[in-house]
């Protein structure tokens, strides 16, 4: 009886190891891990990857087609993005009519000395005065101590003979009257602001001089405002 037990004790581990090698089963103190052969028998292996993958050696044309399709899609996306960017930038550019209003040319040949013309630029009135030699001398001699908004006459003109200012009172935006006021320049009747022939505020509630717009002379008888 004891001999039979010893024989069973010796043979049992050997039989168990043989069973494990035959069925490729591993037990690691937890759930059982089945062999590939057992999984195939149980029908639990997904063959999708094996069946659908492209063999790069046996089917090189399919790989080339895949690369071609990917490259084509990327090119299409890049082209579409480029068109969107171009349209966005174009929408931010000024239109032709806006550019036309940005600057304006005016003839000065028919403006007599000592007179003022009023032109329109960007919907605003612009005073252009052809000053006399006496007016130029008088404005150049004004002391800055007498001015609220201190600017010399030279700083406000490109050519002493011509004064170019916006015709908008700096108090509340009214249009001053020309050749009027205590200084023979402009006078705003709304609240009594007086400007001299250099467009500088000399009396009244306006805080600043008449604004000088950007301009340049194209020749002796033509000016470009804007």
């Amino acid at each position: 009886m004891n001999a039979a037990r010893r024989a069973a004790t010796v043979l049992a581990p050997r039989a168990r190891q043989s069973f494990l090698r035959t069925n490729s089963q591993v037990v690691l103190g937890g759930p059982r891990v089945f062999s590939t052969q057992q999984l195939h028998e149980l029908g639990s292996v997904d063959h999708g990857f094996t069946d659908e993958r492209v063999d790069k050696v046996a089917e090189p044309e399919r790989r080339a087609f895949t690369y071609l399709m990917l490259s084509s899609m990327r090119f299409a996306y890049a082209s579409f993005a480029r068109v969107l960017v171009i349209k966005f930038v174009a929408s931010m550019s000024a239109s032709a009519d806006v550019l036309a209003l940005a600057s304006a040319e005016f003839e000065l040949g028919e403006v007599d000395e000592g007179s003022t013309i009023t032109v329109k630029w960007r919907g605003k009135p612009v005073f252009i005065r052809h000053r006399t030699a006496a007016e130029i001398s008088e404005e150049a001699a004004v002391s800055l101590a007498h001015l609220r908004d201190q600017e010399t006459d030279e700083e406000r003109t490109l050519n002493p003979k011509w004064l170019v200012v916006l015709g908008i009172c700096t108090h509340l935006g009214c249009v001053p009257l020309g050749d009027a006021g205590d200084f023979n320049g402009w006078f705003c009747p709304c609240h009594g602001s007086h400007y001299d022939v250099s467009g500088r505020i000399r009396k009244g509630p306006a805080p600043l001089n008449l604004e000088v717009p950007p301009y340049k002379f194209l020749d002796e008888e033509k000016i470009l405002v804007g």
Side-chain angles (χ1 to χ4, degrees):
M1 190 68 178
N2 292 334
R5 288 181 178 177
R6 285 195 300 270
T9 303
V10 173
L11 292 176
R14 294 179 179 178
R16 182 170 179 270
Q17 292 176 1
S18 176
F19 177 78
L20 290 175
R21 284 195 300 269
T22 302
N23 296 277
S24 300
Q25 294 175 338
V26 181
V27 180
L28 299 175
R32 297 175 61 188
V33 179
F34 294 93
S35 67
T36 303
Q37 179 181 357
Q38 289 176 319
L39 290 175
H40 276 291
E41 292 174 356
L42 294 174
S44 60
V45 174
D46 184 4
H47 297 278
F49 173 76
T50 305
D51 297 339
E52 297 178 6
R53 69 178 178 176
V54 178
D55 191 333
K56 297 181 180 180
V57 177
E59 300 177 284
E61 67 281 356
R62 290 187 61 183
R63 177 176 59 177
F65 176 76
T66 302
Y67 290 162
L68 176 62
M69 290 300 297
L70 289 174
S71 301
S72 301
M73 292 300 296
R74 290 175 180 174
F75 177 77
Y77 283 131
S79 300
F80 181 71
R82 175 178 174 273
V83 171
L84 289 180
V85 171
I86 291 176
K87 288 186 176 181
F88 176 74
V89 173
S91 67
M92 298 180 66
S93 302
S95 59
D97 56 341
V98 173
L99 291 176
L101 292 174
S103 60
E105 294 182 10
F106 303 102
E107 296 288 343
L108 304 177
E110 297 183 359
V111 182
D112 297 330
E113 190 175 272
S115 62
T116 303
I117 63 171
T118 302
V119 297
K120 191 175 182 181
W121 172 68
R122 293 186 179 179
K124 301 175 182 179
V126 177
F127 298 150
I128 303 177
R129 183 175 181 86
H130 190 178
R131 302 191 301 179
T132 65
E135 290 173 340
I136 296 173
S137 300
E138 182 181 354
E139 298 306 323
V142 174
S143 173
L144 293 180
H146 298 159
L147 300 176
R148 180 179 303 164
D149 185 10
Q150 298 182 349
E151 285 184 306
T152 64
D153 184 66
E154 184 179 1
E155 292 173 337
R156 295 178 57 78
T157 59
L158 297 179
N159 183 339
K161 291 183 179 181
W162 298 96
L163 176 71
V164 182
V165 293
L166 291 182
I168 300 176
C169 180
T170 58
H171 180 221
L172 293 176
C174 305
V175 178
L177 303 176
D179 297 319
D182 295 347
F183 300 89
N184 300 318
W186 290 270
F187 171 68
C188 182
C190 299
H191 300 91
S193 296
H194 298 254
Y195 300 90
D196 60 19
V197 188
S198 187
R200 298 173 295 192
I201 182 64
R202 301 293 296 274
K203 183 180 178 181
L208 301 173
N209 303 328
L210 294 179
E211 181 181 352
V212 177
Y215 72 95
K216 63 181 179 180
F217 289 95
L218 301 179
D219 54 44
E220 293 183 358
E221 297 184 352
K222 186 178 293 185
I223 188 175
L224 177 68
V225 180

